[in-house]
Amino acid sequence: MKKDRYRILISGGGTGGHIFPALSIANALKTRLNAEILFVGADNRMEMERVPAAGYEIKGLPVAGFNRKNLFKNFGVLLKLRRSIAMARKIVADFKPDIAVGVGGYCSGPTLKAAQRAGVPTLLQEQNSYAGVTNKLLAKKAKKICVAYPDLERFFPAEKIVLTGNPVRKDLLSNTISPQKAKERFGLNPNLPTVLVVGGSLGALTLNESMEAGIKRLNEEGIQVIWQTGKNFGDRGITAVKNLKGVVVTKFISDMAAAYAAADLVVSRAGAGSISELELLGKPCILVPSPNVAEDHQTKNARALSDKGAAILVKDADAREKLVDEIISIIHDKNKLTEMSIEIKKLALPESDEKIVDEIVKIIQNA
């Protein structure tokens, strides 16, 4: 049913990989519909800062993830979940959304479940090649499930699946800076091979320690490095590169578009958001999946690329020994870089935010 103004609830977060797609969907909705948008996130997670900074209202739930290693520590988690379910029901009752959209993360479970119980249509976005537990539980009553990988019929009803891809930050795709100018922007030689090492806003200890041990070897090989250490590595990265030229060490990269443009090769974790960015930009990459994620989904994400020759997969357990050797081997092989760039670009699904909004509009206007 068409209305003058729609009310749309978006729930998810916990990491940038969930927040950036959620904001991309919200921004696309604003350009297409006269909509009031409310976010629901997890208290004390990054969405509680990022979402208001983007101009949207957000409500927080005290929900937390389960401790899979020590089940006895989950009593408090269950109490938080119970409170979160009650709060989510009140949010849904007060806001009266026309649709609830779940993008993954701790809070999407209670919020989308509350919406379904209230008879609100729901749409899920599954970012990974291996479906998460929350989305699998919510799928039965969802109207549509937007996915980023093929062959997810083993998790979801085939008639509900729409292959849309994962939304990424628009500024990455609108960037026009040349690789040479991008390298100069970071104070690097525009003619030398450059590797970007990025492990998320907090950092990835395995990537950081691999770089810490091997940065001098890379330097001796004439390979420049842009190394994002994240917050948790302190000043160890700066100490490791003391007196080395052609290395940029930073806890946070504000201009990721320029960093990607400067990179001949990217070393990254295998989160769904990062992979979608690499695909759309056609960047050759080495993926080191995090072992600390549910269902080991990052390894499955990485394998979906490496099996097609679109990326190199290095196991986390092997990275300290093998990662630097792989970088040196690949970055000097221009034919290999070109081949990987072509193959990863084939996997890209552009305009994902618009495709997801297409599905949202169909659901709410046909309700």
Side-chain angles (χ1 to χ4, degrees), residues 129-219:
S129 62
Y130 191 91
V133 173
T134 300
N135 277 349
K136 283 190 279 189
L137 292 172
L138 294 168
K140 187 176 179 181
K141 292 187 178 179
K143 291 287 186 182
K144 286 291 178 183
I145 304 160
C146 296
V147 302
Y149 293 86
D151 305 321
L152 264 69
E153 292 83 359
R154 63 193 192 277
F155 302 116
F156 304 128
E159 69 277 7
K160 295 184 179 184
I161 295 173
V162 184
L163 184 63
T164 60
N166 288 322
V168 303
R169 294 167 280 185
K170 291 286 190 186
D171 62 308
L172 297 181
L173 305 180
S174 60
N175 173 62
T176 57
I177 191 170
S178 69
Q180 291 75 22
K181 291 290 184 186
K183 290 175 185 180
E184 288 175 353
R185 186 174 290 184
F186 283 92
L188 299 173
N189 186 322
N191 301 312
L192 289 179
T194 303
V195 60
L196 168 65
V197 181
V198 58
S201 57
L202 297 178
L205 184 62
T206 299
L207 299 189
N208 284 335
E209 291 188 342
S210 299
M211 286 298 105
E212 185 179 43
I215 193 70
K216 289 181 180 176
R217 273 188 64 209
L218 293 172
N219 199 250

Coordinates of all heavy atoms in Angstrom, one line a residue, residues 129-219:
S129 N 29.2 -15.9 2.6 CA 28.9 -17.0 1.8 C 28.4 -18.2 2.6 O 28.0 -19.2 2.1 CB 30.2 -17.5 1.1 OG 31.2 -17.8 2.0
Y130 N 28.5 -18.1 4.0 CA 28.0 -19.1 4.9 C 27.0 -18.4 5.8 O 27.4 -17.5 6.6 CB 29.1 -19.8 5.6 CG 28.7 -21.0 6.4 CD1 28.7 -22.3 5.8 CD2 28.2 -20.9 7.7 CE1 28.3 -23.4 6.5 CE2 27.8 -22.1 8.4 CZ 27.8 -23.3 7.8 OH 27.4 -24.4 8.5
A131 N 25.7 -18.7 5.8 CA 24.7 -18.0 6.5 C 24.9 -18.0 8.0 O 25.3 -19.1 8.6 CB 23.3 -18.5 6.1
G132 N 24.7 -16.9 8.7 CA 24.8 -16.8 10.1 C 23.6 -17.4 10.8 O 22.5 -17.6 10.2
V133 N 23.7 -17.8 12.1 CA 22.7 -18.5 12.8 C 21.4 -17.6 12.9 O 20.3 -18.1 12.7 CB 23.2 -18.8 14.2 CG1 22.1 -19.4 15.1 CG2 24.3 -19.8 14.2
T134 N 21.6 -16.3 13.2 CA 20.5 -15.4 13.4 C 19.6 -15.4 12.1 O 18.4 -15.5 12.2 CB 21.0 -14.0 13.7 OG1 21.7 -14.0 14.9 CG2 19.8 -13.0 13.9
N135 N 20.3 -15.2 11.0 CA 19.5 -15.1 9.7 C 18.8 -16.4 9.4 O 17.7 -16.5 8.8 CB 20.4 -14.7 8.6 CG 20.5 -13.1 8.5 OD1 19.8 -12.4 9.2 ND2 21.4 -12.7 7.7
K136 N 19.5 -17.5 9.7 CA 18.8 -18.8 9.5 C 17.6 -19.0 10.3 O 16.6 -19.5 9.8 CB 19.8 -20.0 9.7 CG 20.9 -20.2 8.7 CD 21.7 -21.4 8.8 CE 22.8 -21.3 9.8 NZ 23.7 -22.4 9.8
L137 N 17.6 -18.5 11.5 CA 16.4 -18.6 12.4 C 15.3 -17.6 12.0 O 14.1 -18.0 12.1 CB 16.8 -18.2 13.9 CG 17.7 -19.3 14.5 CD1 18.2 -18.7 15.9 CD2 17.0 -20.6 14.7
L138 N 15.7 -16.5 11.4 CA 14.7 -15.5 11.0 C 14.1 -15.8 9.6 O 13.1 -15.2 9.2 CB 15.3 -14.1 11.0 CG 15.7 -13.6 12.4 CD1 16.6 -12.3 12.2 CD2 14.5 -13.2 13.2
A139 N 14.8 -16.6 8.8 CA 14.5 -16.7 7.4 C 13.1 -17.2 7.1 O 12.5 -16.8 6.1 CB 15.5 -17.7 6.7
K140 N 12.6 -18.1 7.9 CA 11.3 -18.8 7.7 C 10.2 -17.7 7.5 O 9.3 -17.9 6.6 CB 10.9 -19.8 8.8 CG 9.7 -20.6 8.5 CD 9.4 -21.6 9.6 CE 8.2 -22.4 9.3 NZ 7.9 -23.4 10.4
K141 N 10.2 -16.7 8.3 CA 9.1 -15.7 8.3 C 9.5 -14.4 7.5 O 8.7 -13.5 7.5 CB 8.7 -15.3 9.7 CG 8.0 -16.5 10.4 CD 7.5 -16.0 11.8 CE 6.8 -17.2 12.5 NZ 6.2 -16.8 13.8
A142 N 10.8 -14.3 7.0 CA 11.2 -13.2 6.2 C 10.5 -13.2 4.9 O 10.2 -14.2 4.3 CB 12.7 -13.2 6.1
K143 N 10.3 -12.0 4.3 CA 9.7 -11.8 3.0 C 10.7 -12.1 1.9 O 10.5 -12.7 0.9 CB 9.1 -10.4 2.8 CG 7.8 -10.2 3.7 CD 6.6 -10.9 3.1 CE 5.4 -10.5 3.9 NZ 4.2 -11.3 3.4
K144 N 11.9 -11.5 2.1 CA 13.0 -11.6 1.2 C 14.3 -11.7 1.9 O 14.5 -11.1 3.0 CB 13.0 -10.4 0.2 CG 11.9 -10.4 -0.9 CD 12.1 -11.5 -1.9 CE 10.9 -11.6 -2.9 NZ 11.0 -12.7 -3.8
I145 N 15.3 -12.4 1.3 CA 16.6 -12.5 1.8 C 17.6 -12.1 0.7 O 17.7 -12.7 -0.3 CB 16.9 -13.9 2.3 CG1 15.9 -14.3 3.3 CG2 18.3 -14.0 2.9 CD1 15.7 -15.8 3.5
C146 N 18.3 -10.9 0.9 CA 19.2 -10.4 0.0 C 20.6 -10.9 0.3 O 21.1 -10.8 1.4 CB 19.2 -8.9 0.0 SG 17.6 -8.1 -0.5
V147 N 21.2 -11.6 -0.7 CA 22.5 -12.3 -0.5 C 23.6 -11.7 -1.4 O 23.3 -11.1 -2.4 CB 22.4 -13.8 -0.6 CG1 21.3 -14.4 0.3 CG2 22.0 -14.2 -2.1
A148 N 24.8 -12.0 -1.0 CA 26.0 -11.5 -1.7 C 26.7 -12.6 -2.5 O 27.7 -12.4 -3.2 CB 27.0 -10.8 -0.8
Y149 N 26.3 -13.9 -2.2 CA 27.0 -15.0 -2.8 C 25.9 -16.0 -3.4 O 24.8 -16.1 -2.9 CB 27.8 -15.8 -1.8 CG 29.0 -15.1 -1.3 CD1 28.9 -14.2 -0.2 CD2 30.3 -15.2 -1.9 CE1 30.1 -13.5 0.2 CE2 31.4 -14.6 -1.4 CZ 31.3 -13.7 -0.4 OH 32.4 -13.0 0.1
P150 N 26.2 -16.7 -4.5 CA 25.3 -17.6 -5.0 C 25.3 -18.9 -4.2 O 26.1 -19.0 -3.2 CB 25.9 -17.9 -6.4 CG 27.3 -17.6 -6.3 CD 27.5 -16.5 -5.3
D151 N 24.3 -19.8 -4.5 CA 24.3 -21.1 -3.8 C 23.9 -21.1 -2.3 O 24.4 -21.9 -1.6 CB 25.6 -21.9 -4.1 CG 25.9 -22.0 -5.5 OD1 25.0 -22.2 -6.4 OD2 27.1 -21.9 -5.9
L152 N 23.1 -20.1 -1.9 CA 22.7 -20.1 -0.5 C 21.4 -20.8 -0.3 O 20.8 -20.7 0.8 CB 22.7 -18.7 0.0 CG 24.0 -18.3 0.8 CD1 25.2 -18.2 -0.2 CD2 23.8 -17.0 1.6
E153 N 20.9 -21.5 -1.3 CA 19.7 -22.3 -1.2 C 19.8 -23.4 -0.1 O 18.8 -23.8 0.4 CB 19.3 -22.9 -2.5 CG 18.9 -21.9 -3.6 CD 20.1 -21.3 -4.3 OE1 21.2 -21.7 -4.0 OE2 19.8 -20.5 -5.2
R154 N 21.0 -23.7 0.3 CA 21.1 -24.8 1.3 C 20.8 -24.2 2.7 O 20.7 -25.0 3.6 CB 22.6 -25.3 1.3 CG 23.7 -24.4 1.6 CD 25.0 -25.0 1.2 NE 26.2 -24.3 1.7 CZ 26.7 -23.2 1.1 NH1 26.2 -22.7 0.0 NH2 27.8 -22.6 1.6
F155 N 20.7 -22.9 2.8 CA 20.4 -22.2 4.1 C 19.0 -21.6 4.1 O 18.3 -21.6 5.1 CB 21.4 -21.1 4.4 CG 22.8 -21.6 4.5 CD1 23.7 -21.1 3.5 CD2 23.2 -22.5 5.4 CE1 25.1 -21.5 3.6 CE2 24.5 -22.9 5.5 CZ 25.5 -22.4 4.6
F156 N 18.6 -21.1 2.9 CA 17.3 -20.3 2.8 C 16.4 -20.9 1.8 O 16.8 -21.5 0.8 CB 17.6 -18.9 2.5 CG 18.6 -18.2 3.4 CD1 19.7 -17.5 2.9 CD2 18.4 -18.2 4.8 CE1 20.6 -16.9 3.8 CE2 19.3 -17.6 5.7 CZ 20.4 -16.9 5.2
P157 N 15.1 -20.6 1.9 CA 14.1 -21.0 0.9 C 14.5 -20.3 -0.5 O 14.6 -19.0 -0.5 CB 12.8 -20.5 1.4 CG 13.0 -20.4 2.9 CD 14.4 -20.0 3.1
A158 N 14.6 -21.0 -1.5 CA 15.1 -20.5 -2.8 C 14.2 -19.4 -3.3 O 14.7 -18.4 -3.9 CB 15.2 -21.6 -3.8
E159 N 12.9 -19.5 -3.1 CA 12.0 -18.4 -3.6 C 12.1 -17.1 -2.9 O 11.6 -16.1 -3.4 CB 10.6 -18.9 -3.6 CG 10.0 -19.0 -2.2 CD 10.3 -20.3 -1.4 OE1 11.1 -21.1 -2.0 OE2 9.7 -20.6 -0.3
K160 N 12.8 -17.1 -1.8 CA 13.0 -15.8 -1.0 C 14.3 -15.1 -1.3 O 14.5 -14.0 -1.0 CB 12.9 -16.0 0.5 CG 11.5 -16.5 0.9 CD 11.5 -16.6 2.4 CE 10.1 -17.1 2.9 NZ 10.0 -17.1 4.4
I161 N 15.2 -15.8 -2.0 CA 16.6 -15.3 -2.2 C 16.7 -14.4 -3.4 O 16.1 -14.6 -4.5 CB 17.6 -16.5 -2.4 CG1 17.7 -17.3 -1.1 CG2 19.0 -16.0 -2.8 CD1 18.5 -18.6 -1.3
V162 N 17.4 -13.2 -3.2 CA 17.7 -12.3 -4.2 C 19.2 -12.0 -4.2 O 19.7 -11.6 -3.1 CB 16.9 -11.0 -4.1 CG1 17.1 -10.1 -5.3 CG2 15.4 -11.2 -4.0
L163 N 19.9 -12.2 -5.3 CA 21.3 -12.0 -5.3 C 21.5 -10.5 -5.6 O 21.3 -10.0 -6.7 CB 22.0 -12.8 -6.4 CG 23.5 -12.7 -6.5 CD1 24.2 -13.3 -5.2 CD2 24.0 -13.5 -7.7
T164 N 22.0 -9.7 -4.5 CA 22.1 -8.3 -4.7 C 23.6 -7.8 -4.5 O 23.9 -6.8 -4.9 CB 21.3 -7.6 -3.6 OG1 21.7 -8.0 -2.3 CG2 19.8 -7.9 -3.8
G165 N 24.4 -8.6 -3.7 CA 25.7 -8.2 -3.3 C 25.6 -7.4 -2.0 O 24.5 -7.1 -1.5
N166 N 26.8 -6.9 -1.5 CA 26.8 -6.1 -0.3 C 27.1 -4.7 -0.7 O 28.0 -4.4 -1.4 CB 28.0 -6.6 0.6 CG 27.7 -7.9 1.2 OD1 26.6 -8.2 1.6 ND2 28.8 -8.8 1.3
P167 N 26.3 -3.8 -0.1 CA 26.5 -2.3 -0.3 C 27.9 -1.9 0.2 O 28.3 -2.4 1.3 CB 25.4 -1.6 0.4 CG 24.3 -2.7 0.6 CD 25.1 -4.0 0.7
V168 N 28.5 -1.0 -0.5 CA 29.8 -0.5 0.0 C 29.7 1.1 0.0 O 28.8 1.7 -0.5 CB 31.0 -0.9 -0.9 CG1 31.1 -2.4 -0.9 CG2 30.9 -0.3 -2.3
R169 N 30.8 1.7 0.6 CA 30.8 3.1 0.7 C 30.9 3.8 -0.6 O 31.8 3.4 -1.4 CB 32.0 3.5 1.6 CG 31.8 3.1 3.1 CD 33.1 3.2 3.9 NE 34.0 2.1 3.6 CZ 35.1 1.9 4.3 NH1 35.5 2.8 5.2 NH2 35.9 0.9 4.0
K170 N 30.0 4.7 -0.9 CA 30.0 5.3 -2.3 C 31.3 6.1 -2.6 O 31.7 6.1 -3.8 CB 28.8 6.3 -2.3 CG 27.5 5.7 -2.3 CD 27.1 5.1 -3.6 CE 25.7 4.6 -3.7 NZ 25.3 3.9 -4.9
D171 N 32.0 6.6 -1.6 CA 33.2 7.4 -1.9 C 34.3 6.5 -2.5 O 35.1 7.0 -3.2 CB 33.7 8.1 -0.6 CG 34.1 7.2 0.5 OD1 33.2 6.3 0.8 OD2 35.2 7.3 1.0
L172 N 34.3 5.2 -2.2 CA 35.3 4.4 -2.7 C 35.1 4.2 -4.2 O 36.1 4.1 -5.0 CB 35.2 3.0 -2.1 CG 35.5 2.9 -0.6 CD1 35.4 1.5 -0.1 CD2 36.8 3.5 -0.2
L173 N 33.9 4.2 -4.7 CA 33.6 3.9 -6.1 C 33.6 5.2 -6.9 O 33.9 5.1 -8.1 CB 32.2 3.3 -6.2 CG 32.0 2.0 -5.4 CD1 30.6 1.5 -5.6 CD2 33.0 1.0 -5.7
S174 N 33.4 6.4 -6.3 CA 33.5 7.6 -7.1 C 34.9 8.2 -7.1 O 35.1 9.2 -7.8 CB 32.5 8.6 -6.4 OG 32.9 8.9 -5.1
N175 N 35.8 7.6 -6.5 CA 37.2 8.1 -6.5 C 37.8 8.1 -7.9 O 37.7 7.1 -8.6 CB 38.0 7.3 -5.5 CG 39.5 7.6 -5.6 OD1 39.9 8.8 -5.3 ND2 40.3 6.7 -6.0
T176 N 38.5 9.1 -8.3 CA 39.2 9.2 -9.6 C 40.7 9.4 -9.5 O 41.3 9.6 -10.5 CB 38.5 10.4 -10.4 OG1 38.7 11.6 -9.7 CG2 37.1 10.1 -10.7
I177 N 41.2 9.4 -8.3 CA 42.7 9.6 -8.2 C 43.5 8.5 -8.8 O 43.1 7.3 -8.7 CB 43.1 9.8 -6.7 CG1 44.5 10.3 -6.6 CG2 42.8 8.5 -5.9 CD1 44.9 10.7 -5.1
S178 N 44.6 8.8 -9.5 CA 45.4 7.8 -10.2 C 46.3 7.1 -9.1 O 46.5 7.7 -8.1 CB 46.3 8.5 -11.2 OG 47.3 9.3 -10.6
P179 N 46.7 5.9 -9.4 CA 47.6 5.2 -8.5 C 48.9 6.0 -8.2 O 49.3 6.0 -7.0 CB 48.0 3.9 -9.3 CG 46.8 3.7 -10.2 CD 46.4 5.0 -10.6
Q180 N 49.4 6.7 -9.2 CA 50.6 7.5 -8.9 C 50.4 8.6 -8.0 O 51.1 8.9 -7.0 CB 51.2 8.0 -10.2 CG 51.8 7.0 -11.2 CD 50.7 6.1 -11.9 OE1 49.5 6.6 -12.0 NE2 51.1 4.9 -12.3
K181 N 49.3 9.4 -8.2 CA 48.9 10.5 -7.3 C 48.5 10.0 -5.9 O 48.8 10.7 -4.9 CB 47.7 11.3 -7.9 CG 48.1 12.1 -9.2 CD 49.0 13.2 -8.9 CE 49.3 14.1 -10.1 NZ 50.3 15.1 -9.9
A182 N 47.9 8.9 -5.9 CA 47.5 8.3 -4.6 C 48.8 8.0 -3.7 O 48.8 8.2 -2.5 CB 46.7 7.1 -4.7
K183 N 49.8 7.4 -4.4 CA 51.0 7.1 -3.7 C 51.7 8.3 -3.2 O 52.2 8.4 -2.1 CB 52.0 6.3 -4.6 CG 51.5 4.8 -4.9 CD 52.4 4.1 -5.9 CE 51.8 2.7 -6.2 NZ 52.6 2.0 -7.2
E184 N 51.7 9.4 -4.1 CA 52.3 10.7 -3.7 C 51.6 11.3 -2.5 O 52.2 11.9 -1.6 CB 52.3 11.6 -4.8 CG 53.3 11.2 -5.9 CD 53.2 12.1 -7.1 OE1 52.2 13.0 -7.2 OE2 54.0 12.0 -8.1
R185 N 50.2 11.1 -2.4 CA 49.4 11.6 -1.3 C 49.9 11.0 0.0 O 49.8 11.6 1.1 CB 48.0 11.3 -1.5 CG 47.1 12.0 -0.5 CD 45.6 11.8 -0.8 NE 45.2 12.6 -2.0 CZ 43.9 12.7 -2.4 NH1 43.0 12.0 -1.8 NH2 43.6 13.4 -3.5
F186 N 50.4 9.8 0.0 CA 50.9 9.1 1.2 C 52.4 9.3 1.4 O 53.0 8.7 2.3 CB 50.6 7.6 1.1 CG 49.1 7.3 1.5 CD1 48.2 7.1 0.4 CD2 48.7 7.1 2.8 CE1 46.9 6.8 0.7 CE2 47.4 6.8 3.1 CZ 46.5 6.7 2.0
G187 N 53.0 10.2 0.5 CA 54.4 10.5 0.7 C 55.3 9.4 0.1 O 56.4 9.2 0.5
L188 N 54.7 8.5 -0.8 CA 55.5 7.4 -1.3 C 55.9 7.7 -2.8 O 55.4 8.6 -3.4 CB 54.6 6.2 -1.3 CG 54.1 5.7 0.1 CD1 53.1 4.6 0.0 CD2 55.3 5.3 1.0
N189 N 56.9 6.9 -3.2 CA 57.4 6.9 -4.6 C 56.3 6.4 -5.5 O 55.9 5.3 -5.4 CB 58.7 6.1 -4.7 CG 59.3 6.2 -6.0 OD1 58.7 6.3 -7.1 ND2 60.7 6.2 -6.0
P190 N 55.9 7.2 -6.5 CA 54.8 6.8 -7.4 C 55.1 5.6 -8.3 O 54.3 5.1 -8.9 CB 54.5 8.1 -8.2 CG 55.8 8.9 -8.2 CD 56.4 8.6 -6.8
N191 N 56.4 5.3 -8.4 CA 56.9 4.3 -9.3 C 57.2 2.9 -8.7 O 57.6 2.0 -9.4 CB 58.1 4.8 -10.1 CG 57.8 6.0 -10.9 OD1 56.8 6.1 -11.6 ND2 58.6 7.1 -10.7
L192 N 57.1 2.8 -7.4 CA 57.5 1.6 -6.7 C 56.2 0.8 -6.3 O 55.2 1.3 -6.0 CB 58.3 1.9 -5.4 CG 59.7 2.4 -5.6 CD1 60.4 2.6 -4.3 CD2 60.5 1.4 -6.5
P193 N 56.3 -0.6 -6.4 CA 55.2 -1.4 -6.0 C 54.8 -1.2 -4.5 O 55.6 -1.0 -3.7 CB 55.7 -2.8 -6.2 CG 57.1 -2.7 -6.2 CD 57.5 -1.4 -6.7
T194 N 53.5 -1.1 -4.3 CA 53.0 -0.8 -3.0 C 51.9 -1.8 -2.5 O 51.0 -2.1 -3.3 CB 52.4 0.7 -3.0 OG1 53.4 1.6 -3.5 CG2 51.9 1.1 -1.6
V195 N 52.0 -2.2 -1.3 CA 51.1 -3.1 -0.7 C 50.3 -2.4 0.5 O 50.9 -1.6 1.3 CB 51.7 -4.4 -0.2 CG1 52.8 -4.1 0.9 CG2 50.7 -5.4 0.4
L196 N 49.0 -2.5 0.5 CA 48.2 -2.0 1.6 C 47.8 -3.2 2.5 O 47.3 -4.2 2.1 CB 46.9 -1.4 1.0 CG 45.8 -1.1 2.0 CD1 46.2 0.0 2.9 CD2 44.5 -0.7 1.2
V197 N 48.1 -3.0 3.8 CA 47.8 -4.0 4.8 C 46.8 -3.4 5.8 O 47.1 -2.4 6.4 CB 49.1 -4.4 5.6 CG1 48.7 -5.5 6.6 CG2 50.1 -4.9 4.6
V198 N 45.6 -4.0 5.8 CA 44.5 -3.4 6.6 C 43.8 -4.5 7.3 O 43.4 -5.5 6.7 CB 43.6 -2.6 5.7 CG1 43.0 -3.4 4.6 CG2 42.5 -1.9 6.5
G199 N 43.6 -4.3 8.6 CA 42.9 -5.3 9.5 C 41.8 -4.8 10.2 O 41.4 -5.4 11.3
G200 N 41.1 -3.8 9.8 CA 40.0 -3.2 10.5 C 40.3 -2.2 11.5 O 41.5 -1.9 11.8
S201 N 39.3 -1.5 12.1 CA 39.5 -0.4 12.9 C 40.3 -0.7 14.2 O 41.0 0.1 14.8 CB 38.2 0.3 13.3 OG 37.3 -0.6 13.9
L202 N 40.1 -2.0 14.7 CA 40.8 -2.4 15.9 C 42.1 -3.0 15.6 O 43.0 -3.1 16.4 CB 40.0 -3.4 16.7 CG 38.6 -2.9 17.3 CD1 37.9 -4.0 18.0 CD2 38.9 -1.7 18.2
G203 N 42.3 -3.5 14.3 CA 43.5 -4.1 13.9 C 43.4 -5.6 14.0 O 42.5 -6.2 14.6
A204 N 44.3 -6.3 13.3 CA 44.3 -7.8 13.3 C 45.7 -8.2 13.8 O 46.7 -7.9 13.1 CB 44.0 -8.3 11.9
L205 N 45.8 -8.8 14.9 CA 47.1 -9.1 15.5 C 48.0 -10.0 14.6 O 49.2 -9.7 14.5 CB 46.9 -9.8 16.9 CG 48.1 -10.1 17.7 CD1 48.8 -8.8 18.1 CD2 47.8 -10.9 18.9
T206 N 47.4 -10.9 14.0 CA 48.2 -11.8 13.1 C 48.8 -11.0 11.9 O 50.0 -11.1 11.7 CB 47.3 -12.9 12.5 OG1 46.8 -13.7 13.5 CG2 48.2 -13.8 11.5
L207 N 48.0 -10.1 11.3 CA 48.6 -9.3 10.2 C 49.6 -8.3 10.8 O 50.7 -8.2 10.2 CB 47.4 -8.5 9.6 CG 46.3 -9.2 8.9 CD1 45.4 -8.3 8.1 CD2 46.8 -10.3 8.0
N208 N 49.4 -7.8 11.9 CA 50.3 -6.8 12.5 C 51.6 -7.5 12.9 O 52.7 -6.9 12.6 CB 49.7 -6.1 13.7 CG 48.7 -5.1 13.4 OD1 48.7 -4.5 12.3 ND2 47.8 -4.8 14.3
E209 N 51.6 -8.6 13.5 CA 52.8 -9.3 13.9 C 53.6 -9.8 12.7 O 54.8 -9.9 12.7 CB 52.5 -10.4 14.9 CG 52.0 -9.9 16.3 CD 51.9 -10.9 17.3 OE1 51.8 -12.1 17.0 OE2 51.9 -10.5 18.5
S210 N 52.8 -10.2 11.6 CA 53.5 -10.7 10.4 C 54.3 -9.5 9.8 O 55.4 -9.7 9.3 CB 52.5 -11.2 9.4 OG 51.8 -12.3 9.9
M211 N 53.6 -8.3 9.8 CA 54.3 -7.1 9.2 C 55.5 -6.7 10.1 O 56.5 -6.3 9.7 CB 53.3 -6.0 9.1 CG 52.3 -6.1 8.0 SD 53.1 -6.1 6.4 CE 53.0 -7.9 6.0
E212 N 55.3 -6.8 11.4 CA 56.3 -6.4 12.4 C 57.6 -7.2 12.2 O 58.7 -6.7 12.2 CB 55.8 -6.6 13.8 CG 56.7 -6.1 14.9 CD 56.1 -6.3 16.3 OE1 55.5 -7.4 16.5 OE2 56.1 -5.4 17.1
A213 N 57.4 -8.5 11.9 CA 58.5 -9.4 11.7 C 59.1 -9.2 10.3 O 60.3 -9.5 10.1 CB 58.1 -10.8 11.9
G214 N 58.3 -8.9 9.3 CA 58.8 -8.9 7.9 C 58.9 -7.6 7.2 O 59.3 -7.5 6.1
I215 N 58.7 -6.5 7.9 CA 58.7 -5.2 7.2 C 60.0 -4.8 6.7 O 60.1 -4.2 5.6 CB 58.2 -4.1 8.2 CG1 57.9 -2.8 7.4 CG2 59.1 -3.8 9.3 CD1 56.7 -2.9 6.5
K216 N 61.1 -5.2 7.3 CA 62.5 -4.9 6.8 C 62.8 -5.6 5.6 O 63.4 -5.1 4.6 CB 63.5 -5.1 7.9 CG 63.5 -4.1 9.1 CD 64.5 -4.4 10.1 CE 64.4 -3.3 11.2 NZ 65.4 -3.6 12.3
R217 N 62.3 -6.9 5.5 CA 62.5 -7.7 4.3 C 61.8 -7.0 3.1 O 62.3 -6.9 2.0 CB 62.0 -9.1 4.5 CG 63.0 -10.1 5.1 CD 62.5 -11.5 5.0 NE 62.2 -12.0 3.7 CZ 61.3 -12.9 3.4 NH1 60.5 -13.3 4.3 NH2 61.2 -13.3 2.1
L218 N 60.5 -6.6 3.3 CA 59.8 -6.0 2.3 C 60.5 -4.7 1.8 O 60.5 -4.4 0.6 CB 58.3 -5.6 2.8 CG 57.4 -6.8 3.1 CD1 56.1 -6.4 3.7 CD2 57.1 -7.6 1.8
N219 N 61.0 -3.9 2.8 CA 61.7 -2.7 2.5 C 62.9 -3.0 1.6 O 63.2 -2.3 0.6 CB 62.1 -2.0 3.8 CG 62.4 -0.5 3.6 OD1 63.5 -0.1 3.7 ND2 61.4 0.3 3.3

